[in-house]
PDB file of all heavy atoms in Angstrom:
ATOM      1  N   ASP A 285      90.236 211.912 116.047  1.00 90.00           N
ATOM      2  CA  ASP A 285      88.790 212.026 115.790  1.00 90.00           C
ATOM      3  C   ASP A 285      88.099 212.005 117.144  1.00 90.00           C
ATOM      4  O   ASP A 285      88.195 211.015 117.869  1.00 90.00           O
ATOM      5  CB  ASP A 285      88.286 210.850 114.936  1.00 90.00           C
ATOM      6  CG  ASP A 285      88.662 211.007 113.471  1.00 90.00           C
ATOM      7  OD1 ASP A 285      88.237 212.009 112.872  1.00 90.00           O
ATOM      8  OD2 ASP A 285      89.373 210.142 112.941  1.00 90.00           O
ATOM      9  N   ARG A 327      80.709 220.775 112.677  1.00 92.00           N
ATOM     10  CA  ARG A 327      79.687 220.044 113.441  1.00 92.00           C
ATOM     11  C   ARG A 327      80.187 219.672 114.831  1.00 92.00           C
ATOM     12  O   ARG A 327      79.478 219.831 115.827  1.00 92.00           O
ATOM     13  CB  ARG A 327      79.301 218.758 112.683  1.00 92.00           C
ATOM     14  CG  ARG A 327      78.036 218.877 111.875  1.00 92.00           C
ATOM     15  CD  ARG A 327      77.545 217.504 111.423  1.00 92.00           C
ATOM     16  NE  ARG A 327      78.599 216.788 110.698  1.00 92.00           N
ATOM     17  CZ  ARG A 327      78.817 216.897 109.390  1.00 92.00           C
ATOM     18  NH1 ARG A 327      78.051 217.687 108.657  1.00 92.00           N
ATOM     19  NH2 ARG A 327      79.784 216.232 108.798  1.00 92.00           N
ATOM     20  N   GLU A 348      89.162 231.960 118.487  1.00 96.00           N
ATOM     21  CA  GLU A 348      89.696 231.757 117.143  1.00 96.00           C
ATOM     22  C   GLU A 348      91.220 231.675 117.192  1.00 96.00           C
ATOM     23  O   GLU A 348      91.832 231.866 118.239  1.00 96.00           O
ATOM     24  CB  GLU A 348      89.261 232.912 116.244  1.00 96.00           C
ATOM     25  CG  GLU A 348      87.759 233.119 116.222  1.00 96.00           C
ATOM     26  CD  GLU A 348      87.370 234.331 115.382  1.00 96.00           C
ATOM     27  OE1 GLU A 348      87.544 234.287 114.172  1.00 96.00           O
ATOM     28  OE2 GLU A 348      86.903 235.322 115.971  1.00 96.00           O
ATOM     29  N   LYS A 372     103.044 221.681 115.452  1.00 92.00           N
ATOM     30  CA  LYS A 372     104.139 221.482 114.494  1.00 92.00           C
ATOM     31  C   LYS A 372     104.316 222.714 113.603  1.00 92.00           C
ATOM     32  O   LYS A 372     105.420 223.057 113.208  1.00 92.00           O
ATOM     33  CB  LYS A 372     103.879 220.232 113.648  1.00 92.00           C
ATOM     34  CG  LYS A 372     104.062 218.945 114.433  1.00 92.00           C
ATOM     35  CD  LYS A 372     103.743 217.730 113.581  1.00 92.00           C
ATOM     36  CE  LYS A 372     103.972 216.448 114.378  1.00 92.00           C
ATOM     37  NZ  LYS A 372     103.323 215.287 113.709  1.00 92.00           N
TER      38      LYS A 372
ATOM     39  N   ASP B 436      83.086 221.660 107.172  1.00 90.00           N
ATOM     40  CA  ASP B 436      82.955 220.197 107.205  1.00 90.00           C
ATOM     41  C   ASP B 436      83.037 219.705 105.771  1.00 90.00           C
ATOM     42  O   ASP B 436      82.200 220.065 104.939  1.00 90.00           O
ATOM     43  CB  ASP B 436      81.603 219.778 107.817  1.00 90.00           C
ATOM     44  CG  ASP B 436      81.581 219.929 109.319  1.00 90.00           C
ATOM     45  OD1 ASP B 436      82.414 219.276 109.981  1.00 90.00           O
ATOM     46  OD2 ASP B 436      80.750 220.684 109.840  1.00 90.00           O
ATOM     47  N   ARG B 478      89.878 210.437 110.167  1.00 92.00           N
ATOM     48  CA  ARG B 478      89.139 209.655 109.170  1.00 92.00           C
ATOM     49  C   ARG B 478      89.064 210.380 107.842  1.00 92.00           C
ATOM     50  O   ARG B 478      89.258 209.801 106.771  1.00 92.00           O
ATOM     51  CB  ARG B 478      87.710 209.398 109.674  1.00 92.00           C
ATOM     52  CG  ARG B 478      87.522 208.036 110.289  1.00 92.00           C
ATOM     53  CD  ARG B 478      86.039 207.735 110.484  1.00 92.00           C
ATOM     54  NE  ARG B 478      85.367 208.761 111.264  1.00 92.00           N
ATOM     55  CZ  ARG B 478      85.328 208.789 112.593  1.00 92.00           C
ATOM     56  NH1 ARG B 478      85.906 207.837 113.289  1.00 92.00           N
ATOM     57  NH2 ARG B 478      84.705 209.756 113.241  1.00 92.00           N
ATOM     58  N   GLU B 499     102.893 217.654 107.201  1.00 96.00           N
ATOM     59  CA  GLU B 499     102.572 218.032 108.574  1.00 96.00           C
ATOM     60  C   GLU B 499     102.725 219.538 108.752  1.00 96.00           C
ATOM     61  O   GLU B 499     103.146 220.246 107.839  1.00 96.00           O
ATOM     62  CB  GLU B 499     103.506 217.302 109.537  1.00 96.00           C
ATOM     63  CG  GLU B 499     103.494 215.799 109.360  1.00 96.00           C
ATOM     64  CD  GLU B 499     104.491 215.107 110.270  1.00 96.00           C
ATOM     65  OE1 GLU B 499     104.292 215.139 111.490  1.00 96.00           O
ATOM     66  OE2 GLU B 499     105.478 214.549 109.765  1.00 96.00           O
ATOM     67  N   LYS B 523      94.372 232.508 110.966  1.00 92.00           N
ATOM     68  CA  LYS B 523      94.197 233.485 112.046  1.00 92.00           C
ATOM     69  C   LYS B 523      95.290 233.329 113.104  1.00 92.00           C
ATOM     70  O   LYS B 523      95.728 234.313 113.702  1.00 92.00           O
ATOM     71  CB  LYS B 523      92.813 233.317 112.679  1.00 92.00           C
ATOM     72  CG  LYS B 523      91.695 233.805 111.767  1.00 92.00           C
ATOM     73  CD  LYS B 523      90.333 233.579 112.391  1.00 92.00           C
ATOM     74  CE  LYS B 523      89.221 234.113 111.499  1.00 92.00           C
ATOM     75  NZ  LYS B 523      87.901 233.567 111.907  1.00 92.00           N
TER      76      LYS B 523
END
Side-chain angles (χ1 to χ4, degrees):
Chain A
D285 283 300
R327 261 193 305 273
E348 305 177 68
K372 288 178 178 164
Chain B
D436 284 300
R478 261 192 305 275
E499 305 177 67
K523 288 178 178 164

